[in-house]
Amino acid sequence: AKNVGILAMEIYFPPTCVQQEALEAHDGASKGKYTIGLGQDCMAFCTEVEDVISMSLTAVTSLLAKYKIDPKQIGRLEVGSETVIDKSKSIKTFLMQIFEKSGNTDIEGVDSTNACYGGTAALFNCVNWVESSSWDGRYGLVVCTDSAVYAEGPARPTGGAAAIAMLIGPDAPIAFESKLRRSHMSHAYDFYKPNLASEYPVVDGKLSQTCYLMALDTCYKYFCHKYEKLEGKQFSLSDAAYFVFHSPYNKLVQKSFSRLLFNDFLRNASSVDEITKEKLAPFSTLTGDESYQSRDLEKASQQASKSLYDAKVQPTTLIPKQVGNMYTASLYAAFASLIHIKHSELAGKRVILFSYGSGLTATMFSLRFHEGQHPFSLSNIASVMNVGGKLKSRHEFPPEKFVETMKLMEHRYGAKDFVTSKDCSLLSPGTYYLTEVDSMYRRFYAKK
Ligand code: ACO
């Protein structure tokens, strides 16, 4: 199989959201802290009728319908998620309801979990399968689904929720450059979920930022080595049209990209211009540790990378800024933003993605765009996702109502024997929603 990659995509996020500006005021944070400090505009969240299973049922059903894919044509289904609803039964098995109906139970794959990285693990599994000798000619399907919620405090505005489904196969408009992939994985306690009675993580915010940036540096270094070995020339930011990052909040994405420019400067990459060299020269002797602490370096590299950021990163930031951190779906929502905004000018271009999951696991990898053939074309992917329409038709909740919802969800987490309000008035037609959890913890869903 050649040009294996992403043939089609669908994204779903809850229509319920809270404006960061309103949340900021409600929380008593200083004005601009969430909007400028974190760089976020709005945050989506699940109400009591939605969860990671309903969102993924919606995304998968919609993708199959809009691309007219017979459920029998799916041979592998992989789910990435870090939202624990059941410690044994996978989300994938809930999704099997869609496929059983058409008589297809012959589908490999289960769930992958490690913080925000599970979706990438799922994606690699599907791509590897299509490239392998066990491939049976059918499509792979990847689902990233998460509801990111935090306890009250500084991390709460970095929540979000979404599900993304991606169809995998050969001759894709979004093809993997499989040899260009490098990882960094190690043991860290930056963000983890040891309390099984709560949906909220334990998070060391500052450490998680440093772990993220260190993983980024290491992956980029390995990635550049690999490229140089394969291509016989240096890699620099100018060798890719776009860079897509896992996006817990936009400020970290800005810092990440400027960090890559600093790496280019340190390696003396040919593309770094004189002005950048001048700006970054004072920092060339910092040790690694010092460089993560230096506010001056942060400022100088952000200034130096501003115009490159606008060209190579800005178009990837729309959905993450509007919806928030979607954990496993976050990187792919950033990628979806790029397709939404730039689909007509992507063919032939290379895009680099950086996936990060706390704990920690990280990979940097490369994709190449092709025009594709209908229905698997970039323009059709953009029109099926209808990102603009979905963003427009949302319902803003006041912060008080958001907090109230979080309280109810705390109560519901791990609970049994309840029925939901079944109020699906805010959901668009075709959306799945939770109706009941019975005395045996079995969950029931309906479709609007
Ligand atoms: N106007 C403009 N900017 C402001 C204002 C203001 N009024 N007030 C503060 N800021 C800036 C700060 O200077 C800071 O920016 P900087 O980093 O460029 O200096 C930013 O807003 C955040 O403020 P802090 O006080 O540094 O951080 P806070 O204690 O609010 O916590 C954090 C932020 C750590 C991101 C927290 O939200 C968190 O823990 N989130 C979850 C962890 C996370 O997402 N980690 C990322 C990788 S791991 C993962 O994906 C889950």
Side-chain angles (χ1 to χ4, degrees):
K2 268 182 69 180
N3 284 331
V4 176
I6 302 165
L7 292 162
M9 289 177 83
E10 175 59 305
I11 181 167
Y12 175 82
F13 43 81
T16 36
C17 62
V18 58
Q19 287 291 348
Q20 292 284 3
E21 202 177 342
L23 193 59
E24 209 172 69
H26 171 269
D27 292 352
S30 56
K31 189 164 173 50
K33 183 169 182 193
Y34 300 170
T35 49
I36 298 162
L38 296 174
Q40 291 300 108
D41 295 330
C42 192
M43 177 168 67
F45 58 92
C46 291
T47 64
E48 54 141 5
V49 292
E50 292 198 88
D51 63 23
V52 287
I53 295 163
S54 67
M55 290 194 294
S56 53
L57 283 166
T58 303
V60 168
T61 309
S62 173
L63 182 141
L64 295 177
K66 287 176 180 163
Y67 286 89
K68 299 193 172 65
I69 304 287
D70 183 339
K72 286 197 185 81
Q73 287 176 276
I74 304 296
R76 188 172 192 99
L77 171 56
E78 297 262 353
V79 177
S81 180
E82 61 162 293
T83 306
V84 181
I85 284 185
D86 192 297
K87 283 173 274 181
S88 171
K89 183 174 162 57
S90 65
I91 296 171
K92 185 266 178 82
T93 57
F94 284 93
L95 295 174
M96 283 311 296
Q97 295 172 97
I98 299 168
F99 300 93
E100 279 170 55
K101 266 190 229 137
S102 64
N104 181 10
T105 58
D106 177 19
I107 303 183
E108 291 182 1
V110 289
D111 295 3
S112 293
T113 301
N114 188 86
C116 310
Y117 187 85
T120 298
L123 177 60
F124 289 175
N125 284 347
C126 271
V127 169
N128 291 348
W129 175 66
V130 174
E131 288 180 341
S132 77
S133 61
S134 47
W135 184 47
D136 66 1
R138 291 185 293 167
Y139 297 118
L141 187 58
V142 176
V143 180
C144 309
T145 182
D146 269 307
S147 163
V149 286
Y150 291 91
E152 275 177 34
R156 177 155 274 186
T158 64
I164 290 191
M166 296 181 274
L167 191 72
I168 308 302
D171 306 315
I174 305 159
F176 271 72
E177 296 192 293
S178 287
K179 289 208 158 47
L180 292 176
R181 178 197 294 187
R182 293 311 295 258
S183 295
H184 171 68
M185 305 202 172
S186 76
H187 171 54
Y189 274 129
D190 60 330
F191 164 113
Y192 45 112
K193 293 180 177 166
N195 181 359
L196 298 174
S198 167
E199 197 174 359
Y200 300 144
V202 173
V203 54
D204 182 337
K206 292 286 169 239
L207 179 64
S208 76
Q209 294 166 327
T210 310
C211 284
Y212 180 108
L213 294 174
M214 286 173 70
L216 174 69
D217 282 347
T218 310
C219 284
Y220 190 54
K221 216 172 280 163
Y222 290 155
F223 183 92
C224 290
H225 284 164
K226 185 84 171 266
Y227 182 91
E228 280 152 32
K229 234 165 122 182
L230 287 169
E231 303 286 322
K233 56 179 187 205
Q234 265 197 341
F235 183 89
S236 73
L237 295 183
S238 60
D239 290 298
Y242 299 101
F243 289 80
V244 191
F245 299 88
H246 165 56
S247 311
Y249 50 95
N250 179 256
K251 177 63 88 58
L252 191 57
V253 173
Q254 297 169 31
K255 289 184 186 180
S256 297
F257 185 70
S258 62
R259 199 71 216 178
L260 296 187
L261 182 65
F262 183 56
N263 274 274
D264 276 4
F265 162 76
L266 291 178
R267 283 185 304 117
N268 199 16
S270 48
S271 69
V272 180
D273 64 31
E274 289 309 315
I275 302 168
T276 300
K277 280 182 191 158
E278 231 168 77
K279 279 208 171 100
L280 298 182
F283 309 101
S284 57
T285 56
L286 292 184
T287 64
D289 276 352
E290 286 167 349
S291 77
Y292 298 110
Q293 308 308 326
S294 171
R295 304 287 301 183
D296 293 339
L297 166 59
E298 221 173 71
K299 218 191 255 162
S301 57
Q302 256 174 287
Q303 270 171 11
S305 62
K306 174 81 174 68
S307 62
L308 280 178
Y309 175 90
D310 289 344
K312 291 177 186 285
V313 184
Q314 176 72 30
T316 74
T317 60
L318 175 69
I319 305 173
K321 287 177 80 152
Q322 283 293 330
V323 177
N325 190 357
M326 298 149 265
Y327 287 162
T328 53
S330 163
L331 173 65
Y332 302 97
F335 186 67
S337 308
L338 177 64
I339 296 174
H340 165 63
I341 294 170
K342 294 280 182 188
H343 59 89
S344 61
E345 40 187 288
L346 291 176
K349 290 182 175 160
R350 169 185 285 143
V351 54
I352 305 294
L353 286 82
F354 175 67
S355 180
Y356 177 81
S358 292
L360 61 85
T361 57
T363 299
M364 183 172 278
F365 58 104
S366 177
L367 302 173
R368 177 82 73 174
F369 290 109
H370 303 275
E371 205 64 71
Q373 285 216 328
H374 191 82
F376 304 134
S377 65
L378 296 171
S379 57
N380 195 46
I381 293 174
S383 91
V384 163
M385 289 194 298
N386 184 23
V387 170
K390 283 173 185 157
L391 286 174
K392 255 194 227 116
S393 61
R394 294 198 291 176
H395 305 268
E396 285 171 21
F397 274 34
E400 294 75 18
K401 227 172 146 198
F402 161 69
V403 173
E404 208 177 283
T405 306
M406 290 297 107
K407 289 222 169 82
L408 174 61
M409 301 295 264
E410 282 169 24
H411 188 66
R412 288 278 169 84
Y413 187 68
K416 62 174 176 175
D417 226 352
F418 64 86
V419 290
T420 69
S421 67
K422 300 179 190 175
D423 177 4
C424 57
S425 57
L426 298 180
L427 306 177
S428 52
T431 306
Y432 283 81
Y433 59 98
L434 178 69
T435 56
E436 181 187 354
V437 178
D438 75 6
S439 61
M440 290 275 287
Y441 295 94
R442 291 174 298 204
R443 305 174 79 83
F444 298 91
Y445 297 86
K447 187 179 181 183
K448 179 167 171 179

